[in-house]
Amino acid sequence: TAATDGMIVKSRVTVTLIEVESAKILLSKQISKEINIGKIPNPSYDHIVGGIKKSINEAMPEIEKDFSNYFVIKGYITQIKHNGKEFIAQVNLGKNLKILPRTELKIFGFDEIVDPMTSQTSCDIITLPTKLIVTDQITDTHAWAKIDGDPSLVKIKQLVQKNYDKGASFGLFK
């Protein structure tokens, strides 16, 4: 049977993210995976360590979303162009930050609020209902993206952020 056709290596690792200044634990999560290293009658140290490394590497995507909360890829819109009804925006994110075609980017707007009683102003950051979908036009430092939604909401210098909710890879674990 498949279950007995080789040696199974089970690995479990606790990944801990610690803020150096305060020594505060920001994230602690255990990941585990088992992997079949094949039919090896007398596995060597290298076989076993290789199996451990491979199993942990395959388990790492389990913590991508958790890591994305601490290491968010952010940029801003540098240009906007249109051809009839088709609108595209250039962002200052590219291959060097693991931006790939079809990566979804959230767009943020800033809303100034004036308290009518105190006249104090504050700023709220809002996620716009419009998003960007990266095309295949990507350089090391920039990418062009199709504007998906109302293009009138999109402005140069607006903050954009890689959308990890849509299965975008954080990039460390590939």
Side-chain angles (χ1 to χ4, degrees), residues 61-136:
E62 292 177 29
I63 61 171
E64 283 189 63
K65 180 127 172 85
D66 297 312
F67 264 64
S68 72
N69 294 326
Y70 298 99
F71 303 102
V72 178
I73 296 174
K74 293 181 182 177
Y76 56 90
I77 296 171
T78 56
Q79 290 186 58
I80 299 171
K81 293 185 178 185
H82 68 93
N83 182 4
K85 292 185 178 186
E86 189 80 11
F87 283 79
I88 58 172
Q90 184 187 57
V91 294
N92 70 333
L93 304 172
K95 290 178 187 174
N96 60 350
L97 292 172
K98 311 260 191 255
I99 299 296
L100 302 170
R102 294 177 302 285
T103 297
E104 187 175 299
L105 303 172
K106 295 179 188 177
I107 307 171
F108 296 94
F110 295 95
D111 202 11
E112 184 178 306
I113 298 168
V114 179
D115 185 307
M117 300 299 283
T118 64
S119 297
Q120 289 186 332
T121 60
S122 62
C123 183
D124 280 350
I125 187 166
I126 56 170
T127 304
L128 299 180
T130 299
K131 61 187 174 190
L132 299 176
I133 308 295
V134 176
T135 68
D136 59 354

